[in-house]
Amino acid sequence: MAQTLKRLGIMGGTFDPIHYGHLVAAEGARHAFQLEKVIFIPAGRPPHKTGRKISDPHHRWIMTELAVASNPYFDTSSIEVERPGYSYTIDTVREVRNLYPGAEIFFITGADAVLEILNWKNVNELLEMCWFIAATRPGYPLGNLKRRLAGISPEYVKRIIPMEVPALAISSTEIRARVQEGRPIKYLLPEPVEAYILNRGLYK
Ligand code: NAP
């Protein structure tokens, strides 16, 4: 059923696993851009990660549900997990626009992913449909982002907004490595997500 919202965030990522860096980034964007709601959408089958093993989308979606449960402004959607084939952001944004007609959409994701946006499916249409918030880790040179986006027309570059998030010093890669090596992951991600990882034996 269609809903009325003026400003809506989509938090896109593989979330393998979701951690406090993602949550702090979403909360920071919500506040800075006055978003009424942020929907976390775990990527089902990322088109650019065909070579590396990613956890089952169902596990990643449940961990995302567990992580956002305590924030009334956060929600999750399994649209990418359920959609067959590769998960293209253009298809996701089109679906979300149908559900929230008239809402201004802000797609929040990592700056590394945004750097590759020129290779994404229907990039021009995508940049017409939504704003991009590119979350960066500390020390990440923001000039890099501007240089790499030089191939995009200036009217579209304006639609990409960098946002520095110190908590993104935490990374999913580091968490997976810690689990594999038997090192602690406590305080890097919400406790229910930690319990889920350990109970299900993920990243061993
Ligand atoms: P990624 O390669 O896993 O992540 C790139 C970097 O950004 C990593 O350092 C990652 O940190 C960080 N990151 C990822 N999501 C983040 C978020 N929501 N907030 C803050 N930092 C984040 O990229 P990805 O997760 O696969 O892709 C990001 C989004 O772009 C997804 O929604 C994906 O579907 C979309 N995408 C679409 C296309 C397309 O339509 N053709 C192509 C590529 C990506 P962590 O490892 O700690 O998460």
Side-chain angles (χ1 to χ4, degrees):
M1 200 175 56
Q3 295 182 39
T4 317
L5 280 187
K6 287 205 178 83
R7 293 164 77 83
L8 171 68
I10 299 176
M11 185 71 170
T14 303
F15 303 139
D16 193 18
I18 190 161
H19 53 67
Y20 279 130
H22 300 129
L23 295 164
V24 170
E27 182 66 1
R30 181 189 74 74
H31 180 257
F33 298 94
Q34 294 147 33
L35 309 177
E36 288 151 272
K37 179 171 172 169
V38 179
I39 308 174
F40 286 64
I41 305 186
R45 286 185 62 209
H48 57 303
K49 287 188 181 163
T50 47
R52 95 155 167 81
K53 194 175 170 291
I54 304 171
S55 304
D56 187 296
H58 188 67
H59 283 313
R60 293 185 285 107
W61 180 65
I62 292 177
M63 289 191 282
T64 307
E65 281 262 286
L66 293 170
V68 308
S70 64
N71 188 324
Y73 294 103
F74 289 176
D75 204 349
T76 64
S77 165
S78 58
I79 50 176
E80 288 199 1
V81 168
E82 280 157 22
R83 195 195 301 138
Y86 286 127
S87 310
Y88 292 111
T89 300
I90 185 80
D91 300 328
T92 303
V93 173
R94 280 184 190 141
E95 268 192 68
V96 171
R97 263 164 58 113
N98 287 338
L99 289 171
Y100 297 89
E104 203 167 355
I105 295 179
F106 294 74
F107 190 90
I108 310 157
T109 195
D112 291 0
V114 175
L115 277 174
E116 302 300 325
I117 200 165
L118 281 176
N119 302 324
W120 291 19
K121 190 177 163 191
N122 297 24
V123 61
N124 289 345
E125 187 191 343
L126 195 54
L127 285 164
E128 266 164 29
M129 290 200 300
C130 64
W131 295 86
F132 274 79
I133 301 175
T136 65
R137 303 203 137 94
Y140 188 95
L142 290 178
N144 223 3
L145 186 64
K146 294 220 174 76
R147 229 172 299 127
R148 288 280 286 276
L149 297 173
I152 306 182
S153 87
E155 69 186 290
Y156 289 147
V157 172
K158 273 194 289 192
R159 304 276 278 173
I160 301 173
I161 310 165
M163 182 179 77
E164 195 170 294
V165 182
L168 276 177
I170 302 171
S171 84
S172 301
T173 306
E174 163 74 9
I175 290 173
R176 292 194 302 271
R178 280 174 170 262
V179 175
Q180 186 145 39
E181 293 156 16
R183 288 188 288 139
I185 55 170
K186 205 172 189 57
Y187 308 125
L188 299 175
L189 71 188
E191 274 181 24
V193 180
E194 180 193 0
Y196 188 89
I197 291 170
L198 300 179
N199 289 340
R200 300 295 167 122
L202 301 186
Y203 313 127
K204 284 286 179 198

